[in-house]
Amino acid sequence: FNHLRTMLKYEVIGNLGADAKMQQTDNSKFASFNVAHSRHYRVNGQKVVETLWVSVTVNWNCENLMQYLVKGTKVFVAGTMRLRVFTGNDGIPHAGVTIMADTIELCGSPKVETNTPDEPPF
């Protein structure tokens, strides 16, 4: 199972559901946010909108991007997919997916186009 963690790459384009948050552990700072990706299609003539929420964690210095990572901002995120397994408050095991971001691009913003750990955005 552990070997799958580094093999799976994921890319998503969507809108932030809330402002990104900086968090800190004993050894490091990281940012986290959720991206909503919606798919539109028709079934029997009726419009259907299917929304998938993806959790994103950024463990490289992205403090200069925080001002842009606000609710509603459209972003492209690419990174490694990680599976989270946890027990909910109901005592039932659950699983979720998190993207460990390698790249974040702000869609439609002329100010900052790309930010990766190895290259500054400006």
Side-chain angles (χ1 to χ4, degrees):
F1 224 173
N2 286 337
H3 68 282
L4 293 177
R5 290 181 174 217
T6 57
M7 292 174 44
L8 300 174
K9 290 291 187 177
Y10 196 79
E11 296 178 343
V12 66
I13 295 174
N15 297 329
L16 269 69
D19 295 356
K21 296 184 191 246
M22 286 298 291
Q23 300 177 37
Q24 188 164 348
T25 64
D26 292 338
N27 300 330
S28 63
K29 281 184 169 179
F30 63 95
S32 62
F33 54 91
N34 292 314
V35 175
H37 173 78
S38 296
R39 186 181 116 180
H40 303 264
Y41 59 95
R42 292 192 178 273
V43 174
N44 297 327
Q46 297 293 319
K47 183 178 178 181
V48 177
V49 178
E50 196 175 82
T51 301
L52 171 68
W53 286 93
V54 179
S55 298
V56 178
T57 299
V58 184
N59 61 5
W60 40 272
N61 184 1
C62 69
E63 288 185 35
N64 52 347
L65 276 180
M66 292 301 288
Q67 65 182 320
Y68 303 106
L69 297 176
V70 296
K71 183 177 181 175
T73 300
K74 182 172 268 189
V75 295
F76 165 82
V77 177
T80 305
M81 184 173 23
R82 300 284 171 95
L83 178 64
R84 293 178 289 115
V85 179
F86 58 95
T87 302
N89 292 338
D90 54 7
I92 298 173
H94 299 275
V97 172
T98 298
I99 296 177
M100 301 301 290
D102 296 326
T103 301
I104 299 171
E105 293 183 15
L106 302 174
C107 299
S109 172
K111 296 178 184 173
V112 178
E113 284 302 318
T114 254
N115 189 14
T116 64
D118 299 322
E119 78 184 33
F122 300 103

